[in-house]
Amino acid sequence: MSVWQRLSFHHDRTRDRKILDLFDDPKRAEGFSARLGDMLFDYSKTNIDLAGRDLLIALAEDAGVAARREAMFAGEPINETEGRAVLHTALRNLDASVVVDGTDVMPEVRDTHARMVAFCKDVRSGAYTGQGGRIRDVVNIGIGGSDLGPAMAAIALSPYADGPRVHFVSNVDGAQIAETLAPLDPTTTLVIVASKTFTTIETMTNAETARAWMKSAVDLPAMQFAAVSTSAERTAAFGITPERVFGFADWVGGRYSMWGPIGLSLMLSVGPENFDAFLAGGAAMDAHFRTAPLSQNIPVMLALVGIWHHQICGHATRAVLPYDQRLSRLPAYLQQLEMESNGKRVAMDGATLERTAGPVVWGEPGTNGQHAFYQLIHQGQQVVPCEFLLAAQGHEPDLVRQHQLLVANCLAQSEALLRGRSLEEATARMADQGLSGAELDRQARHRVFPGNRPSTTLIYPKLTPFVLGQIIALYEHRVFVEGAILGINSYDQWGVELGKELATALGPVVTGEVSAEGKDGSTRALVEFVRAHA
Ligand code: F6P
């Protein structure tokens, strides 16, 4: 019998028991959590027991996760459909030596990092100016991995922001760039065009809009543009001087790229020292991932909990719920990281997968979500495994009371999901409030919480640059472990191509240059409507 089958049987045998009963073991919380320094990952509020964990670990062992992990760190081409290494880890481990195709790639990585630091110091000190003086604003134009990482981190690390204000434009919808640029002074703004390929239509269109805006106000618009890309040719063709082009290699996947030059806007905002602390946090998680035994390994256990909930228990989605307003963009960031990486239907060899590979990932910061979608999480028919994130300390020393309330709310939610409220408890409460008879019966039923709903909590002292680095590297490695167990390539994204091709073909149909003939009836009708109302 395969480990998958044994896990499935184990689930059938244990699915109806109460997670709360597992806490009869006084060591449950300690035994079903993992630590890295001051960071604690608690998965004791799940239905995973010792036997289940052993089976999950056997799954990771059978899949050769450890060997594959070393192959990744060693620069082997584990992105098989594109024939590329997967080495974003090299960007945060600057002292290492990593050989790809016989060449140590690290001298170039260190050189680019040093150029980024020098440029950021110049901009932040005012040594590098715009044509109207000191750079006050930075606009990062990029999309997907060239936007979500630095945009998420700039909010997460806002207490450390002491450089120019940073803004992010991603959408091809002109509304975003128009609203972003409107209040800015072009003469004191730096535009960074961030695109791994430097061909992405949204980014190139926005870059041209920004260039026209800049041109209308300054004599030398190119002086206020920088670029981040793997293509020096295309950045040159766009007119960006090589001095302000920060390159990286194709072995850095877009959604894994915030550790290198794609993080330029973040470095400008928080400064090189804080950026390097972010890198150090990522490197600390890498070292833990490579050395901690599997049952003590936070990324491995986060991945195995994910596999348990999605592939074994069949829960279709997972909610990421940071009780940290500054992690408000983390769910969006993780949507790309997890769903673009593992939202696949075939294994590495092209065979159709036997089970769905990736759950839908979604979420919002607490406590806001409590007043929106938690109703369904607590009383809906489907189970949504919840992943809470929480800092013991906030950044607002004068508002300690508010932070305590935030902590209490986070802990209350995982407790409520675990315990629920029985019909007897609900009835007793309503009876205390004076209800009786049929009305008591009816009202009590609405107040029942089934409970027994799984959650995990990642808790850390404070959201510092180092801790943010740990968190992001943790989720990257979770994706890696889940992908390795499922036998998929987590590092390609062919699923985004068809829409791009059709959009290119539809462009002239929308403008009327080309007829909509040959399109399906719905698309034809929608095009007609747009043409009639544009
Ligand atoms: O369309 C998907 C994607 O290729 C992502 O993987 C990537 O992060 C994004 O587009 C942006 O690509 P680029 O950095 O090349 O502009």
Side-chain angles (χ1 to χ4, degrees), residues 2 14 30 84 88 144 163 179 186 190 207 221 229 233 290 357 371 384 386 395 424 434 456 477 479 491 519 528:
S2 74
T14 56
E30 194 188 325
R84 290 177 186 165
H88 48 278
E179 287 191 2
L190 173 74
S229 180
E233 266 170 39
R290 293 182 82 173
H371 300 273
V384 180
C386 293
H395 278 282
E424 294 71 45
T456 61
H477 294 322
V479 167
Y491 301 100
K519 296 284 169 197
E528 236 168 69

Side-chain angles (χ1 to χ4, degrees), residues 318 334-342 361 475 478:
R318 64 174 163 241
L334 291 182
Q335 280 176 334
Q336 187 198 15
L337 183 66
E338 302 200 16
M339 292 163 75
E340 195 169 76
S341 297
N342 287 350
V361 178
Y475 277 95
R478 173 236 212 129

Side-chain angles (χ1 to χ4, degrees), residues 47-103:
N47 197 13
I48 297 171
D49 59 12
L50 262 184
R53 183 169 68 193
D54 286 349
L55 284 170
L56 288 164
I57 289 174
L59 205 57
E61 284 168 348
D62 275 12
V65 165
R68 201 162 172 76
R69 174 189 67 198
E70 290 319 300
M72 172 174 75
F73 279 97
E76 287 176 30
I78 65 163
N79 173 355
E80 290 178 20
T81 55
E82 295 179 308
R84 290 177 186 165
V86 173
L87 272 177
H88 48 278
T89 51
L91 301 176
R92 53 198 186 221
N93 199 354
L94 295 176
D95 298 329
S97 141
V98 181
V99 176
V100 178
D101 295 333
T103 309

